[in-house]
DNA sequence: AGGCCGCTAGGACGAATGTCCTACGAATCT
DNA sequence: AGATTCGTAGGACATTCGTCCTAGCGGCCT
């Protein structure tokens, strides 16, 4: 039951290809080949390329929400939960070093393309932003929770960018350590 | 004397368009229209699109070197010079909020495209990296100068990414202030 | 069995792409 | 003045792009 439909397969393949190759550089032929369907069959499920992008963004939003809920359930205290966020840099290190952060690079590309869905894509950032801010609030930093969230978001974005430019695994680990230390100092310095 | 040749105009236009639209999404027709030359005339100056990209990267490398030399001459102490670096986020704020960091976004795109010139583009980062490391060395932090350089580079990259995603001017100013404070603490904590 | 409908394949379409070719204008040189 | 060279224009080219159209398959209903 609940089998994956062709539509799901298309979204899934597009999700990966948009991440690995970028949206503009991924063609229908690329997706069709990956899903093993004919190019024409696409337009039964989506009426244009932008619609696939929207579906991909929706999928990522959904998966991100699930992930954040899971972190919230697994982590016993806010500091540990924030560490879960920081450690995606380690967990997805190989992909990040090859393609950068899926959230950051998509936003960057859509901003350049002046694409209508850029606002939707930035909602991915907002998800992390508000989640992190909530954790910082629980940490006793209600007054500057959003600033701290943005700060941490920015640092992880920068690490992803440089990791992909320099392919430096050790740099990632070091920055992750620093960020974890910083979170601890946030909790202590109330 | 020293007038700009057509070749220079092409490189200049490509430089701007690659920044504003991305490399993959910028066509010869786009560049030709901006320079007001015919599309076919291109191949007298460059034999393919990749060659224009290389010329653009060379131009950016050259301009970056000049800028770093200038910062070195203007700044009286290393801390002030590092502040010059940090303040490009303010000086180029409008463009960064619209298109991101020209260095970071080009590297990200070329990484995704698996482009041969990605290594050349990452040299742009290296220029800032070694220059910053030298300033941190002069600041008395020889032992971890490169780590500090990478850390600051990453933070400014992250700020650029989020600035373009959220279009938040105040966030940029705040992070710039934090980075300047951080540099000061680097100098003091010898 | 016959008819309907969800889904698919495959090709046609015009527009746009990167690349190449050839002819022309203007300057320079002999 | 004639010849040569540098730079340019404009179109031809094969390919690929996103999009659309139509015919056919298979399962479901009556």
């Amino acid at each position: 039951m609940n089998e994956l439909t062709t539509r799901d397969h298309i979204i899934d393949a597009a999700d990966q290809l948009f991440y690995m190759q970028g949206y503009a550089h991924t063609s229908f032929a690329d997706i069709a080949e990956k899903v093993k369907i004919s190019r024409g069959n696409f337009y039964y499920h989506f009426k244009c390329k932008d619609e696939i992008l929207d579906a991909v963004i929706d999928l990522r939003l959904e998966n991100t929400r699930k992930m954040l809920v899971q972190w919230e359930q697994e982590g016993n205290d806010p500091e540990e939960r924030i560490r879960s966020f920081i450690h995606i840099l380690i967990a997805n290190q190989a992909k990040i070093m090859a393609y950068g952060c899926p959230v950051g690079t998509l936003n960057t590309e859509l901003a350049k393309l002046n694409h209508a869905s850029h606002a939707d894509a930035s909602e991915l950032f907002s998800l992390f932003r508000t989640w992190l801010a909530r954790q910082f609030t629980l940490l006793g930093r209600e007054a500057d929770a959003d600033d701290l969230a943005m700060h941490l978001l920015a640092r992880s974005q920068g690490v992803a960018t440089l990791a992909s430019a320099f392919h430096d695994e050790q740099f990632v680990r070091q920055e992750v350590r620093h960020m974890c230390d910083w979170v601890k100092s946030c909790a202590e310095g109330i």
Side-chain angles (χ1 to χ4, degrees), chain A:
Chain A
M1 54 181 252
N2 224 353
E3 284 181 22
L4 287 184
T5 65
T6 301
R7 192 173 191 277
D8 295 329
H9 281 126
I10 292 175
I11 297 174
D12 197 58
D15 184 22
Q16 297 176 47
L17 287 171
F18 290 172
Y19 177 37
M20 297 192 302
Q21 309 184 345
Y23 172 69
H25 195 246
T26 297
S27 70
F28 273 46
D30 292 334
I31 305 174
E33 191 190 10
K34 203 175 174 89
V35 187
K36 302 288 180 202
I37 62 168
S38 84
R39 218 170 64 266
N41 185 15
F42 260 112
Y43 288 79
Y44 177 78
H45 302 280
F46 304 92
K47 75 169 186 289
C48 65
K49 196 183 174 187
D50 292 345
E51 212 168 80
I52 300 185
L53 175 62
D54 289 337
V56 167
I57 293 175
D58 285 343
L59 174 68
R60 292 193 188 183
L61 284 169
E62 190 188 340
N63 289 339
T64 303
R65 286 196 195 95
K66 283 180 190 164
M67 187 172 64
L68 293 175
V69 167
Q70 196 182 338
W71 287 348
E72 202 134 19
Q73 289 169 344
E74 288 173 359
N76 294 319
D77 56 284
E79 190 185 327
E80 188 182 335
R81 292 182 198 142
I82 296 174
R83 271 203 302 272
S84 298
F85 166 76
I86 297 172
H87 272 86
I88 26 177
L89 285 168
I90 304 279
N92 301 339
Q93 194 170 58
K95 284 191 173 181
I96 288 175
M97 290 203 334
Y99 316 112
C101 167
V103 179
T105 55
L106 181 65
N107 267 274
T108 299
E109 182 178 5
L110 296 186
K112 272 191 208 295
L113 299 184
N114 227 330
H115 198 285
S117 299
H118 180 213
D120 297 328
S122 74
E123 180 64 21
L124 279 162
F125 267 136
S126 298
L127 244 44
F128 286 103
R129 178 181 184 171
T130 57
W131 185 88
L132 284 170
R134 190 160 64 244
Q135 306 310 318
F136 280 112
T137 300
L138 291 172
L139 219 55
R141 299 292 294 261
E142 189 174 358
D144 55 352
D146 184 58
D147 294 340
L148 297 174
M150 284 290 279
H151 176 81
L152 186 57
L153 213 47
R155 278 176 72 168
S156 59
Q157 278 301 306
V159 171
T161 302
L162 287 198
S164 130
F166 287 120
H167 298 287
D168 188 336
E169 205 170 320
Q170 204 180 340
F171 161 72
V172 176
R173 280 201 298 272
Q174 177 170 296
E175 285 292 324
V176 163
R177 220 180 310 124
H178 284 166
M179 281 189 271
C180 288
D181 291 347
W182 173 82
V183 173
K184 184 180 283 183
S185 79
C186 282
E188 289 166 349
I190 320 179

